[in-house]
Amino acid sequence: MGQESDSPVEEQPPPLPPRPHASSVSSAVDPKAFQAQATTAITSLDIQTLSFPDGTRGTFSTHSRSTSTPIGSGYTSPNPPRPSSSGAEGDDAASIMSFAPTMRPAGDIASLLTSSLSKKSAAWNLLKAQAANAQPFEKHYRSADDRLANFEKEFDALPDETNEYFKDDERLAIWRSKLKQYMVLSSAGKPIWSRHGDLNLINSSIGVVQTIISFYEGSKNPLQGFTAGNTRFVVLTQGPLYFVAISKLGESDSQLRVQLEALYMQILSTLTLPSLTNIFANRPSTDLRKPLQGTEALLSSLADSFTKGSPSALLSSLECLKLRKSQRHTINNTFLKSRADKLLYGLIVAGGKLVSVIRPRRHSLHPSDLQLIFNMLFESEGIKAGGGENWIPLCLPAFNNKGYLYMYVSFFEGVSGEQATAPAAAVGQPVGEEIAMILISADREAFFSLKQMRDDVAQQLAKNGSLAIIRDAARAGRPSMAQIAPGSPICHFLFKSRANVQFCMSNLEPAFSHPVKRRRLMTVYHELHASTHAKNAHLKILQCVSDDSTSLAWLTPAFELYCIGGPNLSRAAMAQGANKIMQWIKREENRLFIIGGGVF
Amino acid sequence: MAEAPKPSSSVKLVLLGEAAVGKSSLVLRFVNNDFQENKEPTIGAAFLTQKCNLPTRTIKFEIWDTAGQERFASLAPMYYRNAQAALVVYDITKPTSLVKARHWVAELQRQASPGIVIALVGNKLDLAGESQSTSDEGEGEDGGDARKVSTEEAQAYAEEESLLFFETSAKTGHNVTEVFTAIANAIPETSLKSARGSGAAGTANRAGEEQRVNLSGPRDAGAKDGCAC
């Protein structure tokens, strides 16, 4: 190699003095590799001007005024990986622009770039003109490098053994193409549950996983996770059980671990910790599938909600139905007035959103327990489809992982709430509008007294109009960005109130109603969350600029706010939007969140 | 028929049987005249009511549809205690489910109220070729006769234990209301009278139950036509 490449160098002197030999290197490597990509910027400079914990109107830096002018909007990043643009100069300019807002005050950039902007192609000018109203995730994704290209097939079942058109290796190929896998196995290597693929098909893969885990386990250095290509494996060991999450969706380890914890909680909720421990203490090789029979659907619906992207799981918090304070007060009081003696917790839930909760003074409900209940009621079909009233023994692991509680569940039917029993209550109602009453007792014989309580409460709620109010609120759905911050370029936000362990967000319709768009949105939120919650990150504000969106995370001891806008948003516009959202939340706080709840 | 109030009484009925034999589907067919393919398993137990009009009286079934999984077995006594009727269900394509059904019958005879009316029900008759008119040949080869438990065998066992016996299909609705009507007819008049006052356990839930019966009387009048029998 040396001779051939050296000789031309000797014959012709290098064109530029500073890089005589580097030229041979750079010619071998794609020059684009050295160019900057759109980047994640930490913008600490403007933080102080943004933070208004009390939600009062703040003062903004004057740069925000320039956002409406075309020049101002031009300094945000364009779409870097444009396959058509081969010119190195053009790409370099783009990378300067993507860096620019993070390096220097915006005003300077505007003047700096005016000249270069005018040289852009007609197409670029057209794009620039639309920049302000661009929506996130509207760029054209090339299927080859888009990891969500097959997301729509993610939840399809694998063809089963009886299907003659598929051979085993073809079914394995489909199995491998899934973006997200979860596996539960015993430390003895017995498969317990897996989200995709029947256990016979993937038995050998489970064997490999068990071998890898136990190898590290043996050397007293438990395996936490590893990466293969673009796939992350995360391992959680809980007593005799191994949980494995395999994700191509780019979640962080701790986020995946939270998801695995939730699966473990579901197993505990079915069996309780002592009985799980007993089973394996007596016979380590036990096949846990038998005792868990019937729980598969719950595990799968949990897993699927994580794969779709669950704000509730991400933030470990709950969402409430937005109601006027006085209305919620009436509901709480109605609920409290008819309380049965045996009652431990009482909940009214509409479409997975908490309407009212009553609880003893000493006990509060843990979000992870409620997540299990909501998953059982609203994500899986087992209870809704059966109709009637249900009496369900379950363990709420965060409350007490040693014993069972008994849960009475009844879905409301009809506005009147008149029905004595609710045959096939929620069938046919759109998801999100089903209203359920959940009454939890420690007494397994309490069914009829709780049923009586439910009938009384339902009658009262129907009489004082609360039921209709709940129904209307559930039907109205989440507020849209146009209602919250009119004119703001922000398309969606997610807000967690840390004190109340509750979250709220704006309507996913229409921009994010498609599952793929929704997943892209959730991926951005997951990335923001991961960066701001990383071990040594003491970030207060994080703005991410990518070629398909601009996003912002804002964390204080009181709240976490995540929001997203189109790809070409200026930092000032994001900040202004975020402040508008905060003002709205402050104003609506008593409606968005259950503060205190009914206590007895 | 509604103007002359017939004597009405409630009957506590419990469904028992192995997982996935179709207990919930039978109830769903009886109560809502509906069927769901691939229904997810019941968790714990579901409580439903449905009325059944007989020529001389109205029976209001209070149905406990229990989950079939082994881990819920310890809760079963709570549901069959004081029950006047029980439906023990097996799957005619699965011999082990009949074994399980026999266990349930034995347990009921040992532990439940002495006068309990037990019906043995072989479900999923639609999977058996002979009695159903299968529409095309294609499914006839494989799904034509998946039956593994013969009618004679189950019938003989039912007679031996003096159980009511039916083969049903919750999917097609075949024989489903007949089972419940037969049970309603088989409940002795005396047991209906004593059902309210006996108060065998005298527990709090019994009181609740009585109240509930009183409350729901007038309200349910409108829904009378819902029952097919």
Side-chain angles (χ1 to χ4, degrees):
Chain A
M1 162 200 156
Q3 283 188 349
E4 275 189 14
S5 61
D6 278 359
S7 55
V9 176
E10 281 172 4
E11 285 167 15
Q12 321 170 342
L16 289 171
R19 39 177 187 174
H21 288 278
S23 63
S24 65
V25 177
S26 64
S27 65
V29 182
D30 182 4
K32 283 180 191 172
F34 294 113
Q35 289 162 6
Q37 292 278 324
T39 185
T40 294
I42 302 166
T43 62
S44 55
L45 202 67
D46 277 5
I47 294 169
Q48 281 75 9
T49 64
L50 302 180
S51 42
F52 308 107
D54 58 349
T56 51
R57 176 165 289 278
T59 56
F60 300 103
S61 62
T62 48
H63 314 310
S64 62
R65 302 278 173 260
S66 70
T67 52
S68 56
T69 72
I71 290 170
S73 59
Y75 64 63
T76 51
S77 76
N79 298 2
R82 272 173 301 155
S84 58
S85 70
S86 52
E89 284 88 352
D91 278 355
D92 264 333
S95 73
I96 287 172
M97 287 196 292
S98 71
F99 264 112
T102 73
M103 313 283 281
R104 296 190 194 123
D108 291 347
I109 300 305
S111 60
L112 181 76
L113 293 179
T114 318
S115 55
S116 71
L117 280 172
S118 58
K119 286 180 205 151
K120 290 291 177 187
S121 67
W124 171 243
N125 281 326
L126 198 64
L127 186 66
K128 180 171 64 90
Q130 293 179 342
N133 357 331
Q135 295 283 314
F137 316 127
E138 284 201 333
K139 77 162 190 165
H140 179 69
Y141 294 92
R142 275 176 301 160
S143 55
D145 30 274
D146 181 18
R147 55 190 174 191
L148 291 181
N150 283 322
F151 189 70
E152 285 176 73
K153 292 186 192 146
E154 176 71 17
F155 303 106
D156 294 353
L158 258 63
D160 65 8
E161 278 169 346
T162 55
N163 192 330
E164 295 156 8
Y165 299 106
F166 291 90
K167 296 200 189 72
D168 261 10
D169 46 348
E170 286 169 315
R171 291 194 289 134
L172 267 176
I174 300 175
W175 178 68
R176 283 200 202 96
S177 74
K178 300 289 182 190
L179 298 166
K180 197 84 174 274
Q181 303 273 3
Y182 296 90
M183 289 176 187
V184 183
L185 56 153
S186 71
S187 49
K190 284 263 171 80
I192 293 169
W193 172 81
S194 120
R195 171 57 189 94
H196 298 289
D198 60 278
L199 294 172
N200 296 329
L201 182 71
I202 60 168
N203 219 345
S204 57
S205 308
I206 290 197
V208 172
V209 166
Q210 193 262 345
T211 311
I212 297 172
I213 299 174
S214 50
F215 173 79
Y216 284 90
E217 205 73 11
S219 60
K220 300 279 173 251
N221 183 16
L223 180 64
Q224 304 284 314
F226 56 93
T227 305
N230 60 353
T231 308
R232 183 69 191 163
F233 291 67
V234 167
V235 179
L236 174 75
T237 308
Q238 285 288 2
L241 302 182
Y242 293 152
F243 297 79
V244 185
I246 306 167
S247 173
K248 296 174 191 163
L249 293 173
E251 293 127 306
S252 76
D253 278 20
S254 60
Q255 286 163 355
L256 288 170
R257 202 156 274 128
V258 166
Q259 298 173 6
L260 293 177
E261 286 281 354
L263 296 179
Y264 175 57
M265 289 294 177
Q266 178 57 61
I267 290 176
L268 283 186
S269 171
T270 307
L271 294 176
T272 73
L273 183 60
S275 87
L276 178 69
T277 322
N278 270 343
I279 288 172
F280 284 100
N282 294 336
R283 245 164 43 96
S285 64
T286 306
D287 183 353
L288 201 64
R289 274 182 287 178
K290 186 88 183 167
L292 282 179
Q293 202 185 17
T295 312
E296 302 89 346
L298 298 177
L299 290 169
S300 294
S301 61
L302 263 182
D304 285 356
S305 69
F306 300 147
T307 306
K308 282 178 204 146
S310 153
S312 170
L314 175 67
L315 302 174
S316 305
S317 54
L318 291 166
E319 191 177 12
C320 299
L321 189 72
K322 187 167 171 270
L323 284 177
R324 284 178 179 280
K325 194 183 177 187
S326 60
Q327 290 168 343
R328 205 186 306 274
H329 196 68
T330 311
I331 295 167
N332 283 349
N333 282 345
T334 313
F335 211 5
L336 280 171
K337 217 178 285 170
S338 311
R339 180 172 67 89
D341 291 338
K342 300 278 176 60
L343 186 78
L344 179 62
Y345 295 120
L347 305 160
I348 297 174
V349 186
K353 300 192 192 77
L354 204 52
V355 176
S356 167
V357 54
I358 59 172
R359 59 181 177 87
R361 190 165 298 280
R362 282 150 173 259
H363 300 292
S364 58
L365 271 164
H366 197 279
S368 70
D369 286 342
L370 284 174
Q371 189 183 15
L372 294 180
I373 294 176
F374 287 10
N375 175 59
M376 186 188 274
L377 265 54
F378 295 99
E379 300 295 334
S380 83
E381 292 293 317
I383 291 178
K384 260 187 305 194
E389 294 148 283
N390 292 270
W391 189 235
I392 298 162
L394 90 168
C395 164
L396 295 179
F399 171 76
N400 172 11
N401 61 20
K402 294 191 181 61
Y404 284 107
L405 295 173
Y406 296 85
M407 177 167 80
Y408 169 92
V409 180
S410 154
F411 281 90
F412 284 75
E413 186 196 24
V415 183
S416 58
E418 272 268 307
Q419 86 284 11
T421 61
V427 180
Q429 273 189 42
V431 184
E433 293 179 24
E434 307 130 334
I435 304 173
M437 195 185 297
I438 301 158
L439 305 172
I440 298 172
S441 169
D443 180 0
R444 62 151 78 172
E445 304 281 351
F447 177 83
F448 284 104
S449 67
L450 296 186
K451 178 180 166 52
Q452 184 63 50
M453 171 178 171
R454 178 232 171 265
D455 289 350
D456 294 347
V457 174
Q459 226 165 17
Q460 284 303 313
L461 288 180
K463 210 160 89 184
N464 65 23
S466 297
L467 201 55
I469 290 170
I470 296 172
R471 204 171 293 276
D472 290 345
R475 198 166 294 150
R478 302 182 178 103
S480 71
M481 279 312 296
Q483 291 166 273
I484 294 163
S488 158
I490 289 176
C491 305
H492 193 266
F493 80 89
L494 183 58
F495 176 91
K496 175 183 178 178
S497 162
R498 283 183 167 169
N500 296 312
V501 208
Q502 289 162 32
F503 76 91
C504 67
M505 62 185 199
S506 60
N507 203 339
L508 290 163
E509 317 279 335
F512 306 102
S513 44
H514 191 276
V516 177
K517 284 260 174 77
R518 196 196 130 108
R519 180 62 234 186
R520 287 192 206 285
L521 176 73
M522 290 304 159
T523 301
V524 170
Y525 286 148
H526 276 76
E527 284 164 359
L528 287 174
H529 180 271
S531 317
T532 48
H533 287 78
K535 215 168 190 179
N536 295 314
H538 301 291
L539 289 173
K540 299 260 184 333
I541 292 200
L542 171 72
Q543 172 153 0
C544 282
V545 179
S546 73
D547 59 347
D548 57 5
S549 66
T550 311
S551 52
L552 176 86
W554 180 6
L555 280 75
T556 75
F559 65 83
E560 298 173 20
L561 173 71
Y562 306 88
C563 55
I564 190 166
N568 300 324
L569 276 188
S570 72
R571 197 178 45 185
M574 284 300 279
Q576 197 165 12
N579 272 300
K580 272 191 182 166
I581 294 168
M582 284 309 299
Q583 286 159 20
W584 179 83
I585 287 170
K586 186 73 197 167
R587 203 165 55 231
E588 303 280 327
E589 196 174 19
N590 284 314
R591 300 177 181 180
L592 289 168
F593 304 116
I594 295 180
I595 300 166
V599 177
F600 54 86
Chain B
M1 69 179 191
E3 80 278 0
K6 277 182 283 189
S8 163
S9 38
S10 38
V11 165
K12 179 178 172 183
L13 180 146
V14 62
L15 277 96
L16 298 165
E18 201 178 69
V21 296
K23 296 179 293 298
S24 300
S25 295
L26 281 172
V27 176
L28 198 63
R29 174 62 76 186
F30 175 58
V31 174
N32 286 344
N33 196 18
D34 192 11
F35 180 78
Q36 289 169 355
E37 208 80 47
N38 302 321
K39 194 194 161 294
E40 285 181 17
T42 306
I43 312 169
F47 181 79
L48 300 97
T49 58
Q50 175 64 299
K51 272 185 281 187
C52 193
N53 286 312
L54 299 181
T56 57
R57 61 189 187 198
T58 301
I59 301 281
K60 185 185 172 205
F61 280 115
E62 297 179 347
I63 303 166
W64 277 110
D65 171 24
T66 64
Q69 282 77 24
E70 205 57 49
R71 66 173 181 279
F72 295 116
S74 61
L75 292 171
M78 190 165 95
Y79 301 115
Y80 64 64
R81 192 199 318 139
N82 300 326
Q84 289 135 285
L87 231 68
V88 179
V89 187
Y90 69 94
D91 174 352
I92 62 161
T93 69
K94 209 175 159 208
T96 56
S97 69
L98 181 61
V99 176
K100 185 71 202 169
R102 287 167 183 259
H103 283 285
W104 279 122
V105 171
E107 181 169 338
L108 286 171
Q109 287 171 339
R110 210 170 48 239
Q111 316 237 30
S113 340
I116 189 169
V117 176
I118 304 174
L120 181 69
V121 175
N123 193 29
K124 306 197 186 176
L125 190 60
D126 50 289
L127 296 178
E130 78 271 16
S131 69
Q132 296 299 110
S133 53
T134 39
S135 49
D136 59 308
E137 288 288 307
E139 71 173 27
E141 288 174 6
D142 196 39
D145 198 356
R147 179 193 280 276
K148 299 272 168 51
V149 179
S150 73
T151 313
E152 294 74 27
E153 180 193 353
Q155 178 99 55
Y157 166 68
E159 273 168 22
E160 193 180 306
E161 300 289 341
S162 48
L163 317 171
L164 298 170
F165 174 70
F166 289 90
E167 286 189 338
T168 63
S169 164
K171 187 172 181 174
T172 65
H174 180 76
N175 250 354
V176 174
T177 42
E178 284 81 352
V179 176
F180 288 89
T181 317
I183 290 178
N185 279 315
I187 305 246
E189 199 86 34
T190 51
S191 123
L192 287 175
K193 288 220 175 79
S194 63
R196 288 195 178 186
S198 70
T203 52
N205 68 41
R206 171 94 355 226
E209 200 171 339
E210 278 211 292
Q211 237 176 325
R212 176 172 40 80
V213 171
N214 296 339
L215 268 178
S216 56
R219 281 205 302 240
D220 286 341
K224 215 164 214 170
D225 300 336
C227 181
C229 50

